[in-house]
Structure formats: C-alpha cells, structure tokens
Amino acid sequence: MVKIIADSTCDISSDEAEKLGIEILPITIRFGDEEFLDGVNITHEEFYDKLDRYEELPKTSQISPAVFEDIFEKHLKNGDEIAAFFISSELSGTYQSATIAAMEAAEKYNANNRLHIVDTQNVSIGSALIIREAVKLRDAGLSAEQIALKCSELSQHIRLYAMVGSLKYLKKGGRLSNAEAFAGSLLHITPIISIENGKVAIAGKVRGKKAAETFILNKMSEYKINKNHDFIFGHINSLNMLTPFKEKAASMVCNINADIITGSIGCAVGTHVGPGTIGVAYIEE
C-alpha cells in the first residue's frame, strides 16, 4: 500500500484526513506554559480564542526527526510505500527534519525506492491542494515515487492569495512597526499575501476589504484556474465574510470538474494574520 503522510500545517482536519485515508502529524503550539498538539487537543476555534487573549504570539515547534523516523519505520516494516508532504522548506525546518529521518529509515530497511519526501513549497490550503491530488493519484494506483514526482511538478503551479484580516498580528510579530500599523489602520489598508517560491510575499496593498476581494478576483483571472483540479476557499473564523466573496467568485469556479472546498486556516498562517482573513488556493492552467 501507499501511505500518504503530512504535517498539520496543511490544515486538513482529522475528520477529513480519515476520509482521505492519510496520516497527519501534529506540530506543537505553546501559549506561555501551555502546550498543545495542533488539531489534536486544540481546535482552530480554541486556538484563535487564545490568540485574541494572549499578549504575546504563540510559539510553534516543528516535528522532530525521531517522530518522523518512528512513523516511517512502522510503514516500511510492513512493506508499504510512503509519500510524505510537508510545509515549504523556506518556511520551516520540518522538511529538513523529515529528510534526515527518511535517510535513516530507508537505509535501515533498504527502502530508498519506497520512501519519498515532497516539499510542497506551500502551507495551509496550498499544501492541502497538493495532498488532495496525491490522494487521487494513490487511488488511481500510482506508486509513491510517481505520486511524489507528479505532485512536485504540480506544486510549481499553486496559486494562493489571502487578504489579511487585521494588522494587529503583523504588528505583534514585528512585521509592521507601531507607526506602520497605525497608519495602515487609519487608511484601512489591507495587505494581500501570496506564496512565491515557497516564501510568504506581499502581492499587494489596497484600501478596504472590497478592494482586496477585487484584487484576488483579478489575480484569479490573470492566473487562470485549471478546472481539472480541486479549488479551496480558506478562512480564519470568518465564514460570514467568506460567503459574499464566494458569491462574487461563483462564475469563475462554476465549471470546475473537481471538488470546491471550504477550509479553515490554522496556526501556521493564522498566528501572523489573525481572524478575518479569507483567501483561495488553486492550481493554475
């Protein structure tokens, strides 16, 4: 069998992971002295409630090589193949940790051809897109190696755009000075973030949420949607804001020959942009 493994920064819920037949390894989140496993003993809703109440931003810890090695060895011992997908190597050391563990496990079981690690070059709903494609390829009977190769290619064509819900968290994280945050709030500036070459980038800055929605829709027109792949709408505790945006985007996604998903964005992105953030992820033509 081909086992698909990912870390929790892909923001695929435990219920969805069970339906897809994949394993999610949780990262660790720390609020002061409190420690949680992402998606295991803290939900997205609980995370954002704490984020709002704590003065300092939480700390996150990547998964250790030992955890990866244990899970890889378990499946290799059973004779399975593994395709593992992780947050962009430009954003976290998770991919590097997994690669180290994979080398150890593969050598122990003489299984280099059965264990393949993929850098999604993305995060959150962008990573989730790649993983969902991997599931389809697995179900079509492809090997772990074939899945890894095809998904590595697809990762170059992911488009992710999100309008930032609040400048508060960018200021808390030191990405904006107090003066910049004050001026931005005064002028109703809304940054739009994207993922470029595996890194978070500012795709644009506009005045107001409606202008931000228009900006994203224009990007969806510029970088056209490949309608043979899934499309994901993402939000951070803001379904009420996402609904009218989905209505505006309806004509652009109505002919998609795959799933249209609404997903919750978790701590990896949410720590820095906060509630009220909405966005999209898709594979371009």
Side-chain angles (χ1 to χ4, degrees), residues 118-122 130 150-158:
V118 178
D119 180 351
T120 65
Q121 288 287 290
N122 230 287
I130 292 294
K150 286 182 176 290
C151 287
S152 292
E153 168 61 23
L154 281 176
S155 70
Q156 307 303 311
H157 302 284
I158 295 285

Side-chain angles (χ1 to χ4, degrees), residues 206-220:
V206 296
R207 294 185 67 175
K209 303 301 182 185
K210 289 186 177 179
E213 291 178 347
T214 300
F215 185 99
I216 293 174
L217 293 171
N218 288 340
K219 285 295 183 183
M220 289 164 61

Side-chain angles (χ1 to χ4, degrees), residues 5-279:
I5 298 170
D7 69 87
S8 64
T9 65
C10 67
D11 293 335
I12 293 176
S13 70
S14 57
D15 288 344
E16 186 181 5
E18 187 175 352
K19 290 176 185 175
L20 295 173
I22 64 177
E23 290 183 65
I24 302 292
L25 304 180
I27 65 169
T28 301
I29 305 166
R30 291 185 182 86
F31 283 95
D33 295 330
E34 293 184 284
E35 185 172 288
F36 304 92
L37 292 176
D38 184 25
V40 176
N41 57 359
I42 186 168
T43 66
H44 286 182
E45 291 77 12
E46 290 166 341
F47 171 80
Y48 289 114
D49 178 61
K50 285 182 176 294
L51 185 67
D52 184 55
R53 290 188 286 110
Y54 272 70
E55 281 301 313
E56 293 186 2
L57 293 181
K59 308 292 185 186
T60 57
S61 299
Q62 65 193 47
I63 302 157
S64 72
V67 171
F68 285 128
E69 195 167 346
D70 285 346
I71 196 77
F72 295 159
E73 286 193 10
K74 180 183 76 172
H75 293 307
L76 293 178
K77 189 185 295 184
N78 290 335
D80 296 324
E81 298 182 11
I82 300 169
F85 298 82
F86 301 112
I87 182 175
S88 171
S89 58
E90 296 287 349
L91 300 176
S92 168
T94 299
Y95 173 79
Q96 184 179 11
S97 291
T99 301
I100 292 168
M103 290 172 63
E104 295 287 338
E107 183 177 355
K108 186 173 180 178
Y109 290 92
N110 192 25
N112 286 318
N113 63 327
R114 290 195 287 129
L115 176 51
H116 301 274
I117 310 297
V118 178
D119 180 351
T120 65
Q121 288 287 290
N122 230 287
V123 66
S124 189
I125 57 176
S127 294
L129 268 184
I130 292 294
I131 294 161
R132 292 179 67 89
E133 291 300 321
V135 168
K136 293 178 184 179
L137 296 170
R138 178 203 64 194
D139 293 348
L142 274 68
S143 68
E145 182 178 21
Q146 290 170 320
I147 292 169
L149 287 171
K150 286 182 176 290
C151 287
S152 292
E153 168 61 23
L154 281 176
S155 70
Q156 307 303 311
H157 302 284
I158 295 285
R159 289 283 166 183
L160 185 155
Y161 298 103
M163 51 183 272
V164 174
S166 170
L167 300 181
K168 170 183 175 181
Y169 299 97
L170 290 174
K171 184 184 78 171
K172 271 190 175 184
R175 287 169 171 79
L176 286 179
S177 68
N178 289 339
E180 288 172 325
F182 176 76
S185 297
L186 199 64
L187 296 171
H188 304 290
I189 298 298
T190 301
I192 295 91
I193 60 170
S194 64
I195 303 291
E196 303 291 342
N197 300 315
K199 299 178 182 178
V200 177
I202 299 295
K205 296 177 183 178
V206 296
R207 294 185 67 175
K209 303 301 182 185
K210 289 186 177 179
E213 291 178 347
T214 300
F215 185 99
I216 293 174
L217 293 171
N218 288 340
K219 285 295 183 183
M220 289 164 61
S221 294
E222 181 180 357
Y223 300 101
K224 297 188 181 302
I225 301 165
N226 186 322
K227 298 192 174 181
N228 294 315
H229 297 288
D230 293 346
F231 184 102
I232 302 181
F233 289 100
H235 73 97
I236 296 178
N237 281 9
S238 49
L239 268 174
N240 59 327
M241 289 178 59
L242 184 61
T243 299
F245 175 71
K246 287 170 72 174
E247 291 172 355
K248 291 178 183 178
S251 63
M252 303 179 74
V253 300
C254 62
N255 295 321
I256 285 177
N257 302 315
D259 293 329
I260 300 174
I261 302 134
T262 298
S264 173
I265 297 171
C267 64
V269 173
T271 296
H272 308 290
V273 295
T277 296
I278 64 171

